[in-house]
Amino acid sequence: MPDDVRSRFAPVAANYTRSSFHASSERLQEVLDLARPKPGDLALDVATGTGNTAFALAPHVRRVIGLDLTPEMLEQARRLTAERGIKNADWMLGDVADLPFADDTFDLYTVRAAPHHFADVEAFLNEAFRVLKPGRDAAFIDCSPPAAAREVLHEVELRRDPSHVRALTVDEWAGHFERAGFEMEGAALRELDWDYDEWMRNMAVDPALAEELAGVIEAATGDALVQLHPERREGRLRHAYWHCLIRAHKPG
Amino acid sequence: MISQELLEILACPKCHTKVEFKEPDQLRCPNCKVLYPIVDGIPVMLIEEAKPDQDQ
């Protein structure tokens, strides 16, 4: 599975440093509002990709570690670290299911827009729990469509990016968090006005396939159509997309 | 080269024992007796990329 993720993200790494979702100030503020970093924190951002979330955290914490599976993504992060003169960010290759840290190491754990790639959700959350200090929090954002829309988007996501595994609903995530030992501090669902074309471009999807998959979304029926409400604005497809925002606490 | 603070928190992904810096560019787990490479300044902390430490 890790090789699959790598082979998908290596060729498109630069796209993620400027994506209007992944690098937008509004979306990054959302992470800060959820994570509430503190000046003394040692923070871990997993599946950091090109480091967008870690860079947002850096000015607000003592030190941030960005971990990812794909060397090409981290090369972008390292280039930006040097360009921006950031001194308190470090990068490493690692797997969310086997984190290279002792127990109770971090004051803050973040992950954004990545867990839908993770094959072993249980191992991912058990590791998050393990490396967090007792009494500290994890901030978690991932795509999380309602059930009917998920059935449509699942096909689109898989064909856009075969390293997609499955998006979970907020309730499903809440169950996983609790089984890992976390206390849920808050779980919210946010509907976004999604720029379909850019989403496809981030993954360098072939235009013919992108058009075919746009047709899949526009052909949704019933609840899925109501939820997705696709429309063309100046020829560009827009539709709903959802993120869940979860803050979870390690008791202690 | 990796930062001192990073070295202080890095552990073996398999057994979670703290790793030690080994010249010129490796991290050694004293428990598993394996080496994790540092490539272009980035530690590669993946279990499947660890190599046996021949000095053991």
Side-chain angles (χ1 to χ4, degrees):
Chain A
M1 194 57 65
D3 284 348
D4 194 24
V5 171
R6 280 184 171 184
S7 67
R8 297 299 303 178
F9 282 96
V12 297
N15 297 353
Y16 279 79
T17 65
R18 46 182 183 260
S19 146
S20 75
F21 167 74
H22 292 272
S24 87
S25 57
E26 188 187 346
R27 296 273 84 85
L28 292 170
Q29 186 58 48
E30 188 174 81
V31 179
L32 295 178
D33 291 345
L34 185 69
R36 295 177 228 153
K38 292 191 280 298
D41 282 356
L42 176 63
L44 174 65
D45 182 48
V46 302
T48 194
T50 58
N52 290 312
T53 303
F55 286 126
L57 290 172
H60 305 283
V61 297
R62 179 165 55 85
R63 190 158 210 95
V64 59
I65 311 294
L67 176 142
D68 202 84
L69 264 180
T70 306
E72 289 81 357
M73 297 289 267
L74 290 182
E75 270 170 37
Q76 298 285 337
R78 219 166 62 120
R79 175 179 64 80
L80 293 169
T81 309
E83 281 176 18
R84 297 171 183 176
I86 293 163
K87 305 289 185 206
N88 65 336
D90 286 301
W91 312 101
M92 73 184 59
L93 278 173
D95 188 333
V96 295
D98 287 300
L99 292 174
F101 309 103
D103 300 359
D104 307 341
T105 295
F106 292 95
D107 303 295
L108 177 63
Y109 175 105
T110 59
V111 60
R112 190 169 70 115
H116 65 102
H117 293 292
F118 300 162
D120 189 343
V121 165
E122 199 174 319
F124 147 61
L125 286 177
N126 287 343
E127 281 291 88
F129 188 85
R130 183 182 68 78
V131 302
L132 255 185
K133 289 177 185 165
R136 304 298 180 142
D137 295 326
F140 169 103
I141 298 179
D142 197 25
C143 51
S144 187
R150 173 168 69 180
E151 299 318 308
V152 174
L153 287 176
H154 185 65
E155 180 193 345
V156 175
E157 298 250 22
L158 265 184
R159 294 179 67 194
R160 167 185 175 268
D161 169 11
S163 70
H164 172 78
V165 174
R166 185 161 182 79
L168 300 182
T169 65
V170 176
D171 288 346
E172 288 166 346
W173 274 121
H176 284 297
F177 271 90
E178 282 167 10
R179 279 190 290 280
F182 284 103
E183 292 170 355
M184 298 291 285
E185 293 229 307
L189 189 64
R190 186 151 304 173
E191 182 178 323
L192 304 164
D193 176 28
W194 207 238
D195 183 337
Y196 175 86
D197 290 349
E198 180 179 314
W199 188 41
M200 291 292 140
R201 272 203 310 275
N202 280 342
M203 265 298 175
V205 174
D206 174 76
L209 176 61
E211 200 48 43
E212 185 188 336
L213 297 178
V216 171
I217 291 174
E218 291 179 300
T221 57
D223 288 348
L225 179 64
V226 174
Q227 290 164 356
L228 286 161
H229 50 89
E231 59 172 302
R232 296 267 176 176
R233 280 181 233 150
E234 294 164 1
R236 289 166 69 97
L237 175 61
R238 310 287 299 207
H239 60 85
Y241 197 81
W242 296 262
H243 277 150
C244 61
L245 291 82
I246 292 173
R247 189 176 162 89
H249 181 73
K250 177 172 176 175
Chain B
M1 201 44 219
I2 61 171
S3 75
Q4 189 57 37
E5 178 149 16
L6 182 57
L7 187 58
E8 277 166 22
I9 60 167
L10 273 178
C12 174
K14 191 165 181 179
C15 74
H16 311 148
T17 301
K18 278 200 172 150
V19 294
E20 303 158 349
F21 182 67
K22 183 177 176 181
E23 296 284 351
D25 55 3
Q26 290 174 309
L27 295 163
R28 176 180 176 277
C29 172
N31 181 46
C32 298
K33 314 252 188 297
V34 296
L35 297 168
Y36 295 94
I38 302 172
V39 179
D40 296 332
I42 294 181
V44 180
M45 304 307 290
L46 297 168
I47 293 170
E48 63 272 21
E49 304 220 1
K51 302 265 190 306
D53 186 357
Q54 303 293 350
D55 294 349
Q56 292 296 312

